[in-house]
Amino acid sequence: MTLLLAQISDLHLDGTDRATRRATHVMDYLRALPRPVDALLVTGDIADHGEEAEYEQAAHILAAPFPVLTCPGNHDARPAYRKALLRQPSELGPVNQAHHIAGTAILMCDSTIPGRDEGRLDAETLAWMHATLDGLGPDMPALIAFHQPPVELHHPLPDSGRLEQPDKLAVLLDAHPQVVAVLTGHAHTAAASTFAGRPLIVGPAVTWTLRMPWEGDQPADREQPPGLAFHVLDDERRLTTHYRVVPEA
C-alpha cells in the first residue's frame, strides 16, 4: 500500500448527545487502528447549523495523531468554519485547500452555494483547481474531494441537491489525467459510480443512513451505525475502497 486514507462525512454536529456520541465513536475507532491511516478526509456537513460552537466541538472531536483534511458542505457556514475549525480569518470566499500526503496531492474543494443544498464548483474554485493540478505535473497522482456528488444516485433526496454544471468538472478531469478519483459525501449512503472516466466514491454518513426507495418510504434510517470508508491507492494508481460501519458498544 502506498497510501491509506479514511473518509467520513456528514457528521451534522449540533450539540446533541446523539451526534456527539456517533462522531466520537468513529474517531475513537480510527485512532485505535493497529496501523494508523495516512490521513482522514471529512467531506462536508461537519456542523448542522454552521455555528461557531459546533466547529469548536468538531475541532475537539476530530483531533487525531494523523492529518485531518476537511471541506465544507451545504450545512456549513464559511466564516464560522474558517474561524473555529481552521483557525483562519473569518471570510466569505470558498474554502479550498491542497495537501500533499505520501506522494499524493489531495484537493479539498468547496462546492457549496451559501444558502442552497445544491453544489457548484464556482469560477474561483475551478481556477484554483486547474492551477493547483497544473503545478503538480503529470507524475504526482491526485484525488479531488468535495461535498455534492456530480451524478444521480437514484434517490430524490440527494439527487435534488447534486453538483450543478458537472460538465465543467469533466473538462477539468479531461485536462488532468493524473486525477485518480473523485470523492464526495452529502448523500448519506455509501456508493460507487463513475464520472468522466474516473471512479466516483461517495462516503457514508456518520449521522444517519439514507434508505433507498426499494428499502422503504422513510429516507432517514437513524438506527444504522455510523459509516466510514477506507481508500487504498497503490503503485499503479488504482484506488480500492472498503466500507465499514462502526457499531456502538
Side-chain angles (χ1 to χ4, degrees):
M1 293 188 295
T2 59
L3 178 67
L4 173 62
L5 300 172
Q7 180 190 359
I8 61 175
S9 196
D10 297 87
L11 284 65
H12 289 272
L13 292 169
D14 57 3
T16 64
D17 290 342
R18 180 184 182 278
T20 300
R21 185 181 69 250
R22 289 171 73 92
T24 299
H25 185 60
V26 169
M27 289 304 300
D28 287 344
Y29 172 81
L30 289 172
R31 285 189 288 258
L33 289 172
R35 177 199 159 173
V37 297
D38 293 310
L40 167 65
L41 279 57
V42 188
T43 46
D45 280 359
I46 296 167
D48 196 50
H49 306 103
E51 297 176 356
E52 283 189 26
E54 294 170 338
Y55 296 114
E56 293 284 359
Q57 183 186 38
H60 173 73
I61 291 174
L62 293 173
F66 41 78
V68 177
L69 320 181
T70 68
C71 65
N74 54 294
H75 278 252
D76 293 308
R78 291 169 177 173
Y81 175 102
R82 273 196 168 96
K83 179 180 179 181
L85 184 61
L86 300 183
R87 308 302 184 192
Q88 296 178 358
S90 179
E91 298 176 355
L92 291 172
V95 185
N96 298 310
Q97 300 182 97
H99 308 268
H100 291 82
I101 306 291
T104 299
I106 303 174
L107 278 63
M108 303 298 293
C109 309
D110 190 339
S111 62
T112 65
I113 307 171
R116 292 178 56 187
D117 291 337
E118 301 89 345
R120 184 184 304 144
L121 299 168
D122 66 14
E124 180 180 343
T125 295
L126 284 167
W128 172 83
M129 294 169 72
H130 275 285
T132 302
L133 292 168
D134 287 345
L136 297 177
D139 296 330
M140 178 177 288
L143 296 167
I144 292 176
F146 50 85
H147 189 59
Q148 290 93 342
V151 300
E152 290 188 355
L153 297 177
H154 309 292
H155 191 290
L157 188 59
D159 288 347
S160 66
R162 65 183 184 272
L163 189 79
E164 297 179 346
Q165 301 176 352
D167 55 309
K168 294 184 177 180
L169 174 62
V171 169
L172 179 140
L173 294 174
D174 287 344
H176 298 96
Q178 73 268 50
V179 177
V180 173
V182 176
L183 311 176
T184 71
H186 187 54
H188 287 239
T189 181
S193 186
T194 59
F195 178 79
R198 308 297 204 285
L200 171 67
I201 306 298
V202 182
V206 171
T207 183
W208 55 262
T209 298
L210 181 73
R211 278 193 190 92
M212 300 303 290
W214 53 89
E215 295 179 301
D217 295 330
Q218 298 298 319
D221 185 349
R222 296 173 64 85
E223 301 305 315
Q224 284 287 333
L228 61 87
F230 291 111
H231 306 298
V232 181
L233 183 63
D234 65 22
D235 290 332
E236 297 181 0
R237 299 190 180 186
R238 178 186 297 111
L239 189 75
T240 303
T241 297
H242 303 267
Y243 290 110
R244 290 291 182 271
V245 294
V246 188
E248 296 185 67

